[in-house]
Amino acid sequence: MRRSVLVMFSILVLVLTACSQTSAPPKQAAPSAAPAPGSEGRLVPELTMYLPAPNYISTQYDSAAFIAKSWEKLGVKTKLVTHPDWATFVGMVDDRTKWDAAVQGFVANPSRMDPDEFVTRMFLSKYVGKGGTNYGEYKNSEYDKIAVAQREEMDPGKRLALVKQAQALIAKDVPAISVFHNKTISVYNKQKFSNVVSVPGVGLMNIYNYVQATPLTSDKTLVASYVGQMRAINPLNAPAWDVEQEFQRLVYDTLTRIGPKGTPEPWAAKEWKVADPKTVTVTLRSGMKFHDGKPVTAEDVAFSYMFIKSQKVGSYNAALNSIESATAKGADAVEFKLSAAYAPLTTVTFSQVPILPKHIWDGVAEKNKLAKAADWDNARMIGSGPFKFNSFKQNQEFIIDRNPDHWMAPKVDRLVNKMFTAAEARFLAMKKGEVHFHESKGLPPNQVEEAKTDPALGIVEDSGNDVRWMTFNLSRGPFQDYAFRAAMVNMVDYKTIQTDILKNQGVGGRGFVPPGNTAWHDTGVQYPQMDLEKARKILKDAGYEWDAQGRLLLPRDYKPAMLAR
Amino acid sequence: MGVRWSYILRRLVTNSVTLWVVVTLIFVLFRLLPGDPVAVMVDPLAGPEAREEVIRELGLDKPTLVQYGVYLRDLVTGRLGHSFVYRQPVGRMVLPNFVNTLVLALASLLVSYGIGTGLGILLAWRRGTRLDDIVTFVTMFLRSAPPFWMATLAIMLFSVRWGLLPVSGMHSTGFPQQGLLAHFFTLDFLKHVTLPLGVGTLYFMGLPALLMRGSMLEVMGEDYVELARAKGMSTPVILLRHAARNALLPVLTAGTMFLGWAMGGLVAIEYIFSWPGLGQQMVTALGQRDYPLAQGAFVLTAVMIMLLNFLTDLLIAYLNPKIELT
């Protein structure tokens, strides 16, 4: 019996091998002819594209690989280089001497509903350099002027005009292109909770949802889970916008919050006024109390801003950089003086900085004999938010209870952030009903499909607010030449990417202010579309040629820098 | 009793040297890893000054040799350093996880070796039959199946579909932190440990089962077994009272090495079940390039393995008069 099994198995293996050989595509004829006269040395070298591994976000890999394939029609070959470990990949991209195109993305989050980050991060010339975010080394003084001006323009109408100019300029210069914008998909248990509220950029993972979600059963505990680990309950020890900050801001109040429209809503601040471009006055809501009973005063707010700034906390540095002073004016007004006008102050900074109780945090490092305040364990986590701290088991669970004295007291009794290491276990817990709110920026399509068929689960989609981009290296190689770039970006088939690769779980790239950000996105800008004829014409007009095998050749008067490796 | 003081002393010295080599290797390997720990920690928009600040704070600006010196000095005084990411002393963070992993590892060892040995005896008794074929095949299959796949499958069936057991973790949400006894000797803990333990058992029992089977077959060919049979003893009595005891030795030896071999599988199981153990801590620390935490976890694992090996060597020598440790 065993011998026959072995024989059958061997036959199966042979059959499968034979099948795979016959269905393989015919091998390309190796270029064997001699190079066309005058073309020696002008051959456009094989491009190197760095992109995140398929295990990270598979659609990002697939779309970039698809674009590289389209480029072959112009006679350009591209080598795809990836790495499954994220930290390693980031280090690789930082070395600008090794790649021609790099692919990454910015996930959506509430502070990115203000266009400042997208407009400046990749394109301001001052961000060029090791560790800087201007990966492609785009240096355009005209762009710099516009980008800096929008950051300092406190009038929203004028600022919008500047942001539109910035978008148009990038669309023209194409130092980088956006490839697609994902939808953010949140899944929740609709049999147990109703009244869910979605906020652009985070879906259901926002404070409005947590305070308004209404339990439908006798179980009044809301269990949420995200990708990411919560490591500390000390607000000074949190990376820029991550799970931790969002949960910390349930216990600590902020002056404003980004609301369901994607714009800042009053929260601890009743109103704010821009007296002059460098002075902003904020009036606080009255009657606010910390969880230990002491009142929240303007002193606490002023203290919080200056204290966090003095601690040089990495995640708040950019936001607090331009604040010169914060002074309490009376019991409920705070005056901010800026060293330079800073438009994102009211849209981003006010929604990020937690209001700390001065009577606890003033001198906390000295009192506890610590090097920095960020090292303090903050065991009682006293804030003034709609939730009170209950317990924290590092990397396991974070539990907070309803604060009945808050003006936006939640409808649930308790909220739990349950942490998992494995995404599969998180989703299974969702199906079992142990987790009620689950969001993952990279939720695999099969889990989305499964969630759709489950009667207990509801899905909330947030239109594309993230940007998955491809940037070109302008410090070396053929992408330095504008004509080359212009031609290559006319070979991106956005339609196919959207329908076949994204399966309509997002839209094709529309620049660096995502289309979901309706307040700032310029719908009037034309982005290059798939047009082989146009691409060829651009190249021909610039002096490029093709050899007998269809490979692209640089113009006869090419600069040596174009071939620098 | 076959243990001499000179042996113990020599073992301590060799173990210390091994530990130093391991500790150095760990230090070097982590530094060789591509990927900048600071990049993972600092928001690039914060500007180069924030980056410099963090580098200085963590002592990464000092030459590697100095960092190594600091690392060794801390280790000798019992300090495992300060976590980059969590800003807490590593020792305090690693200890509870270490206990959790130890509990899971020891439980897996006992149950999988217990069941595996019993299975081995059964298979030796029924050697050549259909039962032997089937069970051997199933055991080898379970040993080759990736533990994270089995774990996910187990959760799907026992937790989601049949609702019998929790999905993950060591305790239910909101379970109060109490003393050691209350931590582990509760129904809540038992419910949570069942699936990880079950998957671990299925995965690890292959080795003792097949080892015991082979060992039994060898022993059963010995003269004294013939004699026992001639004396008219029944097979079960022969198997258990005479053969099994002697056949157990190779399995016991394998059992002492269990911890070292099982770490890989345990890490996968801890990962899927979000079991708050050393394996899970190592994996997350690695991904975040938290050098001190990952180093601390590795060093603790190495110490644990060496200590257990040493203790079991002593134990076996104590039990078996034929062994002389020199």
Side-chain angles (χ1 to χ4, degrees), chain B residues 17-64:
Chain B
V17 173
T18 313
L19 193 59
W20 172 73
V21 171
V22 168
V23 152
T24 308
L25 266 176
I26 289 173
F27 180 85
V28 168
L29 280 174
F30 278 115
R31 297 289 183 296
L32 284 179
L33 271 178
D36 187 8
V38 190
V40 178
M41 268 187 281
V42 179
D43 180 24
L45 275 193
E49 317 85 36
R51 214 186 119 81
E52 300 300 319
E53 173 92 25
V54 175
I55 289 178
R56 236 173 306 134
E57 210 189 329
L58 300 175
L60 288 172
D61 55 338
K62 303 215 175 60
T64 319

CSV table of all heavy atoms in Angstrom, one decimal, chain B residues 17-64:
chain,number,residue,atom,x,y,z
B,17,VAL,N,31.7,31.6,30.9
B,17,VAL,CA,32.4,32.0,29.6
B,17,VAL,C,31.3,31.9,28.5
B,17,VAL,O,31.3,32.8,27.7
B,17,VAL,CB,33.5,31.0,29.3
B,17,VAL,CG1,34.1,31.3,28.0
B,17,VAL,CG2,34.6,31.2,30.4
B,18,THR,N,30.5,30.8,28.5
B,18,THR,CA,29.5,30.7,27.4
B,18,THR,C,28.6,31.9,27.5
B,18,THR,O,28.2,32.5,26.5
B,18,THR,CB,28.7,29.5,27.7
B,18,THR,OG1,29.5,28.4,27.9
B,18,THR,CG2,27.8,29.2,26.5
B,19,LEU,N,28.2,32.3,28.7
B,19,LEU,CA,27.3,33.4,28.8
B,19,LEU,C,27.9,34.7,28.3
B,19,LEU,O,27.2,35.5,27.6
B,19,LEU,CB,26.9,33.6,30.3
B,19,LEU,CG,25.7,34.5,30.6
B,19,LEU,CD1,24.5,34.0,29.9
B,19,LEU,CD2,25.5,34.6,32.1
B,20,TRP,N,29.2,34.9,28.6
B,20,TRP,CA,29.8,36.1,28.1
B,20,TRP,C,29.8,36.1,26.5
B,20,TRP,O,29.6,37.1,25.9
B,20,TRP,CB,31.3,36.2,28.6
B,20,TRP,CG,32.1,37.3,28.0
B,20,TRP,CD1,31.9,38.6,28.3
B,20,TRP,CD2,33.1,37.1,27.0
B,20,TRP,NE1,32.8,39.3,27.5
B,20,TRP,CE2,33.6,38.4,26.7
B,20,TRP,CE3,33.7,36.0,26.4
B,20,TRP,CZ2,34.6,38.7,25.8
B,20,TRP,CZ3,34.7,36.3,25.5
B,20,TRP,CH2,35.1,37.6,25.2
B,21,VAL,N,30.1,34.9,26.0
B,21,VAL,CA,30.1,34.8,24.5
B,21,VAL,C,28.7,35.2,23.9
B,21,VAL,O,28.6,36.0,23.0
B,21,VAL,CB,30.6,33.4,24.0
B,21,VAL,CG1,30.4,33.3,22.5
B,21,VAL,CG2,32.0,33.2,24.4
B,22,VAL,N,27.7,34.6,24.6
B,22,VAL,CA,26.4,34.8,24.1
B,22,VAL,C,26.0,36.3,24.2
B,22,VAL,O,25.5,36.9,23.3
B,22,VAL,CB,25.4,34.0,25.0
B,22,VAL,CG1,23.9,34.4,24.7
B,22,VAL,CG2,25.5,32.5,24.6
B,23,VAL,N,26.3,36.9,25.3
B,23,VAL,CA,26.0,38.3,25.6
B,23,VAL,C,26.7,39.2,24.5
B,23,VAL,O,26.1,40.1,24.0
B,23,VAL,CB,26.4,38.6,27.0
B,23,VAL,CG1,26.7,40.1,27.1
B,23,VAL,CG2,25.3,38.3,28.0
B,24,THR,N,27.9,38.9,24.2
B,24,THR,CA,28.7,39.7,23.2
B,24,THR,C,28.0,39.5,21.9
B,24,THR,O,27.8,40.4,21.1
B,24,THR,CB,30.1,39.3,23.2
B,24,THR,OG1,30.6,39.3,24.5
B,24,THR,CG2,30.9,40.1,22.3
B,25,LEU,N,27.7,38.2,21.5
B,25,LEU,CA,27.1,38.0,20.2
B,25,LEU,C,25.8,38.7,20.1
B,25,LEU,O,25.5,39.3,19.0
B,25,LEU,CB,26.8,36.5,20.1
B,25,LEU,CG,27.9,35.6,19.4
B,25,LEU,CD1,27.5,34.2,19.4
B,25,LEU,CD2,28.1,36.1,18.0
B,26,ILE,N,25.0,38.7,21.1
B,26,ILE,CA,23.7,39.4,21.1
B,26,ILE,C,24.0,40.9,20.8
B,26,ILE,O,23.3,41.5,19.9
B,26,ILE,CB,23.0,39.2,22.4
B,26,ILE,CG1,22.5,37.8,22.5
B,26,ILE,CG2,21.8,40.2,22.5
B,26,ILE,CD1,21.8,37.5,23.9
B,27,PHE,N,24.9,41.5,21.5
B,27,PHE,CA,25.2,42.9,21.3
B,27,PHE,C,25.6,43.2,19.9
B,27,PHE,O,25.1,44.1,19.3
B,27,PHE,CB,26.4,43.3,22.3
B,27,PHE,CG,26.8,44.7,22.2
B,27,PHE,CD1,26.1,45.7,22.9
B,27,PHE,CD2,27.9,45.1,21.4
B,27,PHE,CE1,26.5,47.0,22.9
B,27,PHE,CE2,28.2,46.4,21.3
B,27,PHE,CZ,27.6,47.4,22.0
B,28,VAL,N,26.5,42.4,19.4
B,28,VAL,CA,27.0,42.6,18.0
B,28,VAL,C,25.9,42.4,17.0
B,28,VAL,O,25.7,43.2,16.1
B,28,VAL,CB,28.2,41.6,17.7
B,28,VAL,CG1,28.5,41.6,16.2
B,28,VAL,CG2,29.4,42.0,18.5
B,29,LEU,N,25.1,41.3,17.1
B,29,LEU,CA,24.1,41.0,16.2
B,29,LEU,C,23.1,42.2,16.1
B,29,LEU,O,22.6,42.5,15.0
B,29,LEU,CB,23.4,39.7,16.5
B,29,LEU,CG,24.1,38.5,16.1
B,29,LEU,CD1,23.4,37.2,16.6
B,29,LEU,CD2,24.2,38.4,14.6
B,30,PHE,N,22.7,42.7,17.2
B,30,PHE,CA,21.7,43.8,17.2
B,30,PHE,C,22.2,45.0,16.5
B,30,PHE,O,21.5,45.7,15.8
B,30,PHE,CB,21.2,44.1,18.6
B,30,PHE,CG,20.1,43.2,19.1
B,30,PHE,CD1,20.4,42.3,20.1
B,30,PHE,CD2,18.9,43.1,18.4
B,30,PHE,CE1,19.4,41.5,20.6
B,30,PHE,CE2,17.9,42.2,18.8
B,30,PHE,CZ,18.2,41.4,19.9
B,31,ARG,N,23.5,45.3,16.8
B,31,ARG,CA,24.1,46.5,16.2
B,31,ARG,C,24.2,46.3,14.6
B,31,ARG,O,24.3,47.2,13.9
B,31,ARG,CB,25.5,46.8,16.8
B,31,ARG,CG,25.4,47.1,18.2
B,31,ARG,CD,24.8,48.5,18.5
B,31,ARG,NE,24.8,49.0,19.8
B,31,ARG,CZ,24.1,48.4,20.8
B,31,ARG,NH1,23.4,47.3,20.7
B,31,ARG,NH2,24.1,49.0,22.0
B,32,LEU,N,24.3,45.0,14.2
B,32,LEU,CA,24.5,44.7,12.8
B,32,LEU,C,23.2,44.9,12.0
B,32,LEU,O,23.2,45.0,10.8
B,32,LEU,CB,25.1,43.3,12.6
B,32,LEU,CG,26.6,43.2,12.9
B,32,LEU,CD1,27.0,41.7,12.6
B,32,LEU,CD2,27.4,44.1,12.0
B,33,LEU,N,22.1,44.7,12.8
B,33,LEU,CA,20.8,44.8,12.1
B,33,LEU,C,20.6,46.1,11.4
B,33,LEU,O,20.9,47.2,11.9
B,33,LEU,CB,19.7,44.7,13.2
B,33,LEU,CG,19.1,43.4,13.6
B,33,LEU,CD1,18.1,43.6,14.7
B,33,LEU,CD2,18.5,42.6,12.4
B,34,PRO,N,20.2,46.0,10.1
B,34,PRO,CA,20.0,47.3,9.4
B,34,PRO,C,18.7,48.0,10.0
B,34,PRO,O,17.9,47.3,10.7
B,34,PRO,CB,19.7,46.8,8.0
B,34,PRO,CG,19.2,45.4,8.1
B,34,PRO,CD,19.9,44.8,9.3
B,35,GLY,N,18.6,49.2,9.8
B,35,GLY,CA,17.4,49.9,10.3
B,35,GLY,C,17.9,50.7,11.5
B,35,GLY,O,18.6,50.3,12.4
B,36,ASP,N,17.5,51.9,11.5
B,36,ASP,CA,17.9,52.9,12.5
B,36,ASP,C,16.9,52.9,13.6
B,36,ASP,O,15.8,53.2,13.4
B,36,ASP,CB,18.0,54.2,11.8
B,36,ASP,CG,18.6,55.3,12.6
B,36,ASP,OD1,19.1,55.0,13.7
B,36,ASP,OD2,18.5,56.5,12.2
B,37,PRO,N,17.4,52.6,14.9
B,37,PRO,CA,16.4,52.6,16.0
B,37,PRO,C,15.8,54.0,16.2
B,37,PRO,O,14.6,54.1,16.6
B,37,PRO,CB,17.2,52.2,17.2
B,37,PRO,CG,18.6,52.4,16.8
B,37,PRO,CD,18.7,52.3,15.3
B,38,VAL,N,16.6,55.0,15.9
B,38,VAL,CA,16.1,56.3,16.1
B,38,VAL,C,15.0,56.7,15.1
B,38,VAL,O,14.0,57.4,15.5
B,38,VAL,CB,17.2,57.4,16.1
B,38,VAL,CG1,16.8,58.7,16.5
B,38,VAL,CG2,18.4,56.9,16.9
B,39,ALA,N,15.1,56.2,13.9
B,39,ALA,CA,14.1,56.5,12.9
B,39,ALA,C,12.8,56.0,13.3
B,39,ALA,O,11.8,56.6,13.0
B,39,ALA,CB,14.6,55.9,11.5
B,40,VAL,N,12.8,54.9,13.9
B,40,VAL,CA,11.5,54.3,14.3
B,40,VAL,C,10.9,55.1,15.5
B,40,VAL,O,9.7,55.0,15.7
B,40,VAL,CB,11.7,52.8,14.7
B,40,VAL,CG1,10.4,52.2,15.2
B,40,VAL,CG2,12.3,52.0,13.6
B,41,MET,N,11.7,55.8,16.2
B,41,MET,CA,11.2,56.4,17.4
B,41,MET,C,10.9,57.9,17.2
B,41,MET,O,10.1,58.4,18.0
B,41,MET,CB,12.3,56.4,18.5
B,41,MET,CG,12.2,55.2,19.4
B,41,MET,SD,13.4,55.4,20.7
B,41,MET,CE,14.9,54.9,19.8
B,42,VAL,N,11.5,58.5,16.3
B,42,VAL,CA,11.4,60.0,16.2
B,42,VAL,C,10.6,60.3,15.0
B,42,VAL,O,10.9,59.8,13.9
B,42,VAL,CB,12.8,60.7,16.2
B,42,VAL,CG1,12.6,62.1,16.0
B,42,VAL,CG2,13.5,60.3,17.4
B,43,ASP,N,9.7,61.2,15.1
B,43,ASP,CA,8.9,61.7,13.9
B,43,ASP,C,9.9,62.5,13.1
B,43,ASP,O,10.4,63.5,13.5
B,43,ASP,CB,7.8,62.5,14.4
B,43,ASP,CG,7.0,63.1,13.3
B,43,ASP,OD1,7.0,62.5,12.2
B,43,ASP,OD2,6.3,64.1,13.5
B,44,PRO,N,10.1,62.2,11.8
B,44,PRO,CA,11.0,62.9,11.0
B,44,PRO,C,10.7,64.4,10.9
B,44,PRO,O,11.6,65.2,10.7
B,44,PRO,CB,10.9,62.2,9.6
B,44,PRO,CG,10.0,61.1,9.8
B,44,PRO,CD,9.5,61.0,11.2
B,45,LEU,N,9.4,64.7,11.0
B,45,LEU,CA,9.1,66.1,10.9
B,45,LEU,C,9.6,66.9,12.0
B,45,LEU,O,9.7,68.2,12.0
B,45,LEU,CB,7.6,66.3,10.8
B,45,LEU,CG,6.9,66.1,9.4
B,45,LEU,CD1,5.5,66.6,9.5
B,45,LEU,CD2,7.7,66.9,8.4
B,46,ALA,N,10.0,66.2,13.1
B,46,ALA,CA,10.4,67.0,14.3
B,46,ALA,C,11.7,67.7,14.0
B,46,ALA,O,12.1,68.5,14.8
B,46,ALA,CB,10.5,66.0,15.5
B,47,GLY,N,12.4,67.3,13.0
B,47,GLY,CA,13.6,68.0,12.6
B,47,GLY,C,14.9,67.3,13.2
B,47,GLY,O,14.8,66.5,14.1
B,48,PRO,N,16.0,67.6,12.6
B,48,PRO,CA,17.3,66.9,13.0
B,48,PRO,C,17.7,67.1,14.4
B,48,PRO,O,18.3,66.3,15.0
B,48,PRO,CB,18.3,67.5,12.0
B,48,PRO,CG,17.7,68.7,11.4
B,48,PRO,CD,16.2,68.6,11.5
B,49,GLU,N,17.2,68.2,15.0
B,49,GLU,CA,17.6,68.5,16.4
B,49,GLU,C,17.0,67.4,17.3
B,49,GLU,O,17.6,66.9,18.3
B,49,GLU,CB,17.2,69.8,16.9
B,49,GLU,CG,17.4,71.0,16.0
B,49,GLU,CD,16.2,71.1,15.0
B,49,GLU,OE1,15.1,70.8,15.4
B,49,GLU,OE2,16.5,71.4,13.8
B,50,ALA,N,15.7,67.1,17.1
B,50,ALA,CA,15.1,66.1,17.9
B,50,ALA,C,15.8,64.7,17.8
B,50,ALA,O,15.9,64.0,18.7
B,50,ALA,CB,13.6,65.9,17.5
B,51,ARG,N,16.2,64.4,16.6
B,51,ARG,CA,17.0,63.2,16.3
B,51,ARG,C,18.2,63.2,17.1
B,51,ARG,O,18.6,62.2,17.8
B,51,ARG,CB,17.3,63.2,14.8
B,51,ARG,CG,17.3,61.8,14.2
B,51,ARG,CD,17.8,62.0,12.8
B,51,ARG,NE,19.0,61.2,12.6
B,51,ARG,CZ,19.1,59.9,12.4
B,51,ARG,NH1,17.9,59.3,12.3
B,51,ARG,NH2,20.2,59.3,12.2
B,52,GLU,N,19.0,64.3,17.1
B,52,GLU,CA,20.3,64.4,17.8
B,52,GLU,C,20.0,64.2,19.3
B,52,GLU,O,20.8,63.5,20.0
B,52,GLU,CB,20.9,65.7,17.5
B,52,GLU,CG,21.3,66.0,16.1
B,52,GLU,CD,22.2,65.0,15.5
B,52,GLU,OE1,23.2,64.6,16.2
B,52,GLU,OE2,22.0,64.6,14.4
B,53,GLU,N,19.0,64.8,19.7
B,53,GLU,CA,18.6,64.8,21.2
B,53,GLU,C,18.4,63.3,21.6
B,53,GLU,O,19.0,62.9,22.6
B,53,GLU,CB,17.4,65.6,21.4
B,53,GLU,CG,16.8,65.5,22.8
B,53,GLU,CD,17.3,66.6,23.7
B,53,GLU,OE1,17.7,67.7,23.1
B,53,GLU,OE2,17.4,66.4,24.9
B,54,VAL,N,17.6,62.6,20.9
B,54,VAL,CA,17.4,61.2,21.2
B,54,VAL,C,18.6,60.4,21.2
B,54,VAL,O,18.9,59.5,22.0
B,54,VAL,CB,16.3,60.6,20.3
B,54,VAL,CG1,16.1,59.2,20.6
B,54,VAL,CG2,15.0,61.4,20.5
B,55,ILE,N,19.4,60.6,20.2
B,55,ILE,CA,20.7,59.8,20.0
B,55,ILE,C,21.6,60.0,21.3
B,55,ILE,O,22.1,59.1,21.9
B,55,ILE,CB,21.4,60.2,18.8
B,55,ILE,CG1,20.7,59.7,17.5
B,55,ILE,CG2,22.8,59.7,18.8
B,55,ILE,CD1,21.3,60.0,16.2
B,56,ARG,N,21.7,61.3,21.7
B,56,ARG,CA,22.5,61.6,22.9
B,56,ARG,C,21.9,61.0,24.1
B,56,ARG,O,22.6,60.4,24.9
B,56,ARG,CB,22.6,63.1,23.0
B,56,ARG,CG,24.0,63.6,23.1
B,56,ARG,CD,24.0,65.1,23.1
B,56,ARG,NE,23.3,65.7,22.0
B,56,ARG,CZ,22.4,66.7,22.1
B,56,ARG,NH1,22.2,67.3,23.3
B,56,ARG,NH2,21.7,67.2,21.1
B,57,GLU,N,20.6,61.1,24.2
B,57,GLU,CA,19.9,60.6,25.4
B,57,GLU,C,20.2,59.1,25.6
B,57,GLU,O,20.3,58.5,26.7
B,57,GLU,CB,18.4,60.8,25.2
B,57,GLU,CG,17.7,61.0,26.5
B,57,GLU,CD,16.2,61.0,26.1
B,57,GLU,OE1,15.8,61.5,25.0
B,57,GLU,OE2,15.4,60.6,27.0
B,58,LEU,N,20.1,58.3,24.5
B,58,LEU,CA,20.2,56.9,24.5
B,58,LEU,C,21.7,56.4,24.5
B,58,LEU,O,22.0,55.2,24.6
B,58,LEU,CB,19.5,56.3,23.4
B,58,LEU,CG,18.0,56.6,23.3
B,58,LEU,CD1,17.4,56.0,22.1
B,58,LEU,CD2,17.3,56.1,24.6
B,59,GLY,N,22.6,57.4,24.5
B,59,GLY,CA,24.0,57.0,24.5
B,59,GLY,C,24.5,56.4,23.2
B,59,GLY,O,25.5,55.7,23.1
B,60,LEU,N,23.7,56.6,22.1
B,60,LEU,CA,24.1,56.0,20.8
B,60,LEU,C,25.2,56.8,20.1
B,60,LEU,O,25.7,56.4,19.1
B,60,LEU,CB,22.9,55.9,19.9
B,60,LEU,CG,21.9,54.9,20.3
B,60,LEU,CD1,20.6,55.0,19.5
B,60,LEU,CD2,22.5,53.5,20.2
B,61,ASP,N,25.5,58.0,20.7
B,61,ASP,CA,26.6,58.8,20.1
B,61,ASP,C,28.0,58.4,20.5
B,61,ASP,O,29.0,58.7,19.9
B,61,ASP,CB,26.3,60.3,20.4
B,61,ASP,CG,26.3,60.5,21.9
B,61,ASP,OD1,26.0,59.6,22.6
B,61,ASP,OD2,26.5,61.7,22.3
B,62,LYS,N,28.0,57.6,21.6
B,62,LYS,CA,29.3,57.1,22.1
B,62,LYS,C,29.9,56.0,21.2
B,62,LYS,O,29.1,55.3,20.6
B,62,LYS,CB,29.2,56.6,23.5
B,62,LYS,CG,28.6,57.6,24.5
B,62,LYS,CD,29.3,57.5,25.8
B,62,LYS,CE,28.8,58.6,26.8
B,62,LYS,NZ,27.3,58.6,27.0
B,63,PRO,N,31.2,55.9,21.1
B,63,PRO,CA,31.7,54.8,20.3
B,63,PRO,C,31.2,53.4,20.7
B,63,PRO,O,30.9,53.2,21.9
B,63,PRO,CB,33.2,54.9,20.4
B,63,PRO,CG,33.4,55.8,21.6
B,63,PRO,CD,32.2,56.7,21.7
B,64,THR,N,31.2,52.5,19.7
B,64,THR,CA,30.6,51.2,20.0
B,64,THR,C,31.3,50.5,21.2
B,64,THR,O,30.6,49.9,22.0
B,64,THR,CB,30.7,50.3,18.8
B,64,THR,OG1,30.3,51.1,17.6
B,64,THR,CG2,29.7,49.2,18.9
